[in-house]
Amino acid sequence: MTAPLCALDLSRMYRDRYVKVQAAMRAANVDVLVLCGANNVTYATGARTPAADQMRASWWRAVAVVEAAGDWPRIYTEFPESIPSELPAEVVHQAVEVETPAGARQLVAELPAGTVAIDDAPFPLWAALEARSPVDASIVLAPAKLTKTLDELECIRQAQAINEEAIRLTRPFAVPGARATDCSGAFLRAVAELGCTANTVDPVFQVMPKSVAAGPYSVTGEVVYPLPTRPQELAVGDVMWVDTGINLFGYASDYGATWVIGRAPDELQRDQFTRWRAIVDRALAAVQPGATAADLIAAAGVDRAGKRPWLSYFYLAHGCGTDSAEMPFVGTDLGDAFDASLVLQPGMVLVFEPVVWDDGRAGHRSEEIVAVSETGYVRLSEPATLDPGAS
């Protein structure tokens, strides 16, 4: 099991995040930050909104307002019980219905003067702010979130540990005659019992086709992944790609693996994992402060067909934090210049997820999470292993 990075202190984590947000605001010349996205509200305030379907989530939307020189953020919410005790009562307000023109105008009337940045806001709020020419909040949030404190990294590590334990409890359900959705039910029950805050990724237990030609089809000519888990009956020899993500204290985890149903992996499947392992190990050897995403791509190398060994519509690696996939992104369609410009710093999180594919025989996909350290990296997940199969 990966070792704790620190004794988790949520109060310290909230304070440190607020300092990072305000520093990023000053660097971007933003005076007022208006946040409507649930993950961003949690990042700035520590407050959480219960998970809900889209209709309820819109009307239960919490809003945070941060001033570059303010002592505390302001929050408007239907759920004051979710507010960290550190926030004084005078900054907690009844929710404002920013989905309506009247509610949006009410919030805007209460904002202080200065340059405004806004994130995932509903149209009425954008319209109410039009006269103030708001800018995109990503110019603040992206640099603030890019590197994590030790407390943030420890949250991700603990979330991943819950995820991995839930997977261990779920694996026995993936047997011939069972349905793929049985795995989803077992996993969701396990993460709830193990104490996660929320499930953030619809669990993927996808039986993969043996070849791209077997479909479904992608515009890139590659295998399609992920697809919603179906109540498909599992058979001996099925290759299942697994992807799950749960949330703890506002931080995501990301687990990926390849399972062979009903038997141990055969010689080719063992070789696929060996090749996958070599790709990740080469990339990990290049992880250090000052290295670029381009360095990781070069280290990962190419597959036997001379192609990059990951799905081109995804990435070699991505970040993980308040979202299960966030900056930094490595090996995307943003292009070579972007990869060359992305410089690793201590506190960045990288989730490696290359793919080894032998058309006609399916392939292997797993995931590993590390954080960039002062001298290299530290693990936030257990190293991926070859699935032993189930009889």
Side-chain angles (χ1 to χ4, degrees), residues 95-109:
V96 178
E97 294 183 347
V98 292
E99 300 282 348
T100 67
R105 288 194 297 268
Q106 175 189 337
L107 178 68
V108 171

Side-chain angles (χ1 to χ4, degrees), residues 70-242:
D71 293 331
W72 303 97
R74 274 186 286 152
I75 183 164
Y76 300 80
T77 180
E78 292 277 7
F79 303 96
E81 67 275 10
S82 76
I83 305 293
S85 59
E86 293 82 2
L87 288 184
E90 59 266 26
V91 304
V92 180
H93 305 278
Q94 179 64 32
V96 178
E97 294 183 347
V98 292
E99 300 282 348
T100 67
R105 288 194 297 268
Q106 175 189 337
L107 178 68
V108 171
E110 297 177 12
L111 297 179
T115 303
V116 177
I118 190 167
D119 69 340
D120 183 23
F123 179 75
L125 186 51
W126 277 102
L129 277 168
E130 184 176 8
R132 296 185 61 170
S133 302
V135 297
D136 193 313
S138 63
I139 64 173
V140 172
L141 296 171
K145 291 183 175 185
L146 187 57
T147 60
K148 275 70 174 176
T149 66
L150 284 178
D151 289 304
E152 292 179 283
L153 296 176
E154 178 60 15
C155 278
I156 298 169
R157 189 199 67 80
Q158 290 189 21
Q160 184 68 14
I162 291 174
N163 201 341
E164 291 172 357
E165 177 59 23
I167 284 292
R168 283 189 281 271
L169 296 172
T170 301
R171 182 62 181 91
F173 290 85
V175 294
R179 298 170 300 173
T181 46
D182 294 339
C183 299
S184 297
F187 176 80
L188 292 172
R189 176 172 182 170
V191 294
E193 292 176 346
L194 290 168
C196 78
T197 303
N199 182 69
T200 53
V201 174
D202 190 10
V204 177
F205 296 95
Q206 180 177 337
V207 176
M208 301 304 295
K210 288 183 169 58
S211 66
V212 173
Y217 302 104
S218 70
V219 295
T220 63
E222 298 163 281
V223 67
V224 174
Y225 180 83
L227 293 173
T229 302
R230 300 187 295 113
Q232 174 181 353
E233 183 173 313
L234 304 180
V236 174
D238 280 346
V239 174
M240 176 182 281
W241 284 5
V242 178

Side-chain angles (χ1 to χ4, degrees), residues 258-327:
T258 297
W259 293 349
V260 180
I261 306 302
R263 61 166 174 78
D266 61 24
E267 183 177 356
L268 175 64
Q269 288 161 342
R270 292 194 297 272
D271 176 65
Q272 288 173 338
F273 174 76
T274 298
R275 286 146 56 196
W276 181 92
R277 179 75 268 165
I279 295 164
V280 174
D281 286 345
R282 290 194 300 267
L284 286 175
V287 173
Q288 59 181 327
T292 67
D295 294 330
L296 303 188
I297 292 168
V302 296
D303 64 16
R304 291 172 177 173
K307 298 179 180 178
R308 289 178 169 181
W310 60 88
L311 298 176
S312 67
Y313 52 86
F314 279 127
Y315 15 61
L316 170 63
H318 63 84
C320 182
T322 55
D323 290 292
S324 59
E326 61 183 40
M327 281 287 289

